[in-house]
Amino acid sequence: MAEAHPGNAHPAIGGIKLCFGGNVFGWTLNRDQSFEILDAFYEAGGRMVDSAEGYSSWIPGNKGGESETIIGEWMELRGVRKDMLIATKTGMGGPPYALKPEKVAAAIEGSLERLRTDYVDIYYAHRDDKTTPLDEVISGYDDLVKAGKARELGASNYTAERLGAITKLADRMGMTPFTVLQPKFNLVWRHEFEGALQDLCIARGIAVLPYYGLASAFLSGKFRKPEDLEGTSRGGGAREFAENGGWAMLPVLDQIAAETGATPAQVALAWLRTQPAVAAPVASASRKEQLADLIGSARLELDAAQVERLTREFSPAV
C-alpha cells in the first residue's frame, strides 16, 4: 500500500507501507492465479512488488525467472508499469563472482527483458559476494544507476560489517551506495537485524524492507501445534520460527488481535512497520483471503503499549 510521503529520501519506496513478495509467482501460484492476486493487490492500492531472477528455480522444471516473467506480462497487459515499484535481485544463493560487473550487467538485462521494462526501481545484491572485490561490486552497480536501469540499489542478507564496508567505500569512490536493505526479520526472528545492522541503517538512512515478515505464514496463526507443520508447502519453513520462541508468541498476537479487531498476521506486519529504519515489510499471499490480511495490515496502527508488549514478550529459543 502507498501513501503520499513528501521529502522521503528514497524515491523508489516513497510512502509504501507494504511490499508484495513475488516469490509465490510460478511457485504456489500459476500464471492465471498470479494475475488474479496481482489484480486484487493493485485494485486495493498495492503498488510495490519484490522479485528476483532466481524465483522460482527451486521448483522441479523451473529454471528461475518465472516470477519476473509473470510480473512483466501482467504489467504490460494491464498497462500499469508507470504505477508500480518493482524490485528484483541477482546473486541468489551467493555463488562465487556473481557480483562481478559483467555478470551484474548481464543479469539486469535478463531481468529487464522478463519484466518487460527498461528500468527497475530497486536492484539488489541478493547475497553478499565475498569473492569479488568490493570496489568492483560498487562500480558495477553504480553503472546501472548511471545508465538509468536502476533507480536505487539494495543489499539483501548482508551483515553489518559488510554493509558498512561497502557503503563507506562507495562514499570514498564517489559512487552510488546501497540505500535499501532486505534482511530476514520478523517478530520471532530478530538476531540477524537488531543491533549493529539496524544501528547502521538508522545512521545512514538506509530503508529496510524485511522479508519473511510473516515467518513463512507462522505468524498468521495457521499453525497452532507441531503437527500442523506437517505436509504443507510452508510448514518446513515455518518450523524454524516456531521453534525460535514462536509458539510462546502466538497468545500475545492473539490478545492484541482481539484488542484491535485485526488478525494475528496484521498485527505481526504492523509491528514490523514500527521498528526503527523499517520502511515496509515484504509479505506474500496465495489466496485472496490472505491478501486481505496483508492489505488490512497496512491500515493497522498499534499503540505504544501494544508494540512494547510484542517486543518484550519475545523469548528466543536460541
Side-chain angles (χ1 to χ4, degrees), residues 16 42 54 69 91 101 135 161 169 177 183 188 230 247 260 266 283 302:
I16 292 294
Y42 182 84
T69 298
D135 63 330
E161 178 184 12
L169 184 55
V188 294
E230 305 300 329
W247 297 121
T260 57
Q266 291 168 350
L302 302 176

Side-chain angles (χ1 to χ4, degrees), residues 8-304:
N8 192 290
H10 299 276
I13 299 171
I16 292 294
K17 287 189 170 185
L18 173 70
C19 177
F20 192 94
N23 60 325
V24 292
F25 303 139
W27 174 27
T28 58
L29 296 174
N30 62 27
R31 174 192 177 276
D32 291 344
Q33 293 166 333
S34 298
F35 275 34
E36 185 178 6
I37 289 290
L38 283 165
D39 284 341
F41 181 64
Y42 182 84
E43 289 164 8
R47 292 296 182 268
M48 187 172 194
V49 179
D50 176 84
S51 190
E53 65 178 4
Y55 296 166
S56 50
S57 59
W58 55 88
I59 302 301
N62 284 4
K63 61 181 180 179
E66 290 80 12
S67 171
E68 292 177 329
T69 298
I70 288 171
I71 294 166
E73 186 179 1
W74 173 78
M75 288 194 298
E76 184 173 84
L77 289 174
R78 301 296 189 260
V80 297
R81 174 62 186 102
K82 67 182 185 303
D83 301 329
M84 298 301 297
L85 300 174
I86 301 298
T88 195
K89 316 173 192 72
T90 189
M92 181 174 169
Y97 304 108
L99 301 186
K100 294 284 286 186
E102 60 272 20
K103 290 193 175 181
V104 169
I108 199 170
E109 290 303 327
S111 289
L112 294 176
E113 181 177 358
R114 289 185 291 272
L115 288 164
R116 306 190 186 193
T117 185
D118 56 4
Y119 73 97
V120 292
D121 296 278
I122 305 172
Y123 196 59
Y124 288 97
H126 206 153
R127 293 277 176 182
D128 189 7
D129 174 9
K130 296 182 180 178
T131 54
T132 301
L134 288 182
D135 63 330
E136 293 186 29
V137 177
I138 292 164
S139 63
Y141 271 79
D142 182 69
D143 286 345
L144 306 183
V145 175
K146 287 185 168 64
K149 296 177 181 179
R151 295 179 67 197
E152 280 197 75
L153 304 178
S156 183
N157 304 293
Y158 270 59
T159 65
E161 178 184 12
R162 291 286 289 178
L163 183 60
I166 201 166
T167 52
K168 288 178 182 177
L169 184 55
D171 289 345
R172 291 200 297 271
M173 294 172 66
M175 294 186 175
T176 311
F178 290 144
T179 54
V180 184
L181 176 70
Q182 190 174 118
K184 181 178 178 180
F185 177 51
N186 59 53
L187 193 54
V188 294
W189 195 269
R190 306 185 192 178
H191 60 283
E192 292 185 26
F193 176 63
E194 289 184 340
L197 186 54
Q198 186 174 32
D199 291 344
L200 173 64
C201 291
I202 294 169
R204 287 197 59 101
I206 294 172
V208 177
L209 285 82
Y211 70 93
Y212 277 169
L214 289 178
S216 290
F218 179 79
L219 293 173
S220 71
K222 69 179 291 185
F223 306 110
R224 291 292 173 170
K225 55 187 183 300
E227 294 77 19
D228 294 341
L229 298 170
E230 305 300 329
T232 69
S233 61
R234 297 279 188 172
R239 188 178 304 279
E240 71 172 344
F241 303 111
E243 295 173 352
N244 191 53
W247 297 121
M249 180 58 72
L250 290 180
V252 186
L253 270 179
D254 289 340
Q255 291 165 12
I256 295 176
E259 292 170 9
T260 57
T263 66
Q266 291 168 350
V267 172
L269 294 175
W271 177 85
L272 271 174
R273 288 193 286 106
T274 70
Q275 299 308 292
V278 171
V282 178
S284 59
S286 295
R287 301 192 305 273
K288 280 191 173 182
E289 55 267 34
Q290 295 171 339
L291 181 61
D293 251 0
L294 304 191
I295 293 165
S297 76
R299 303 188 182 114
L300 177 62
E301 299 295 336
L302 302 176
D303 66 34

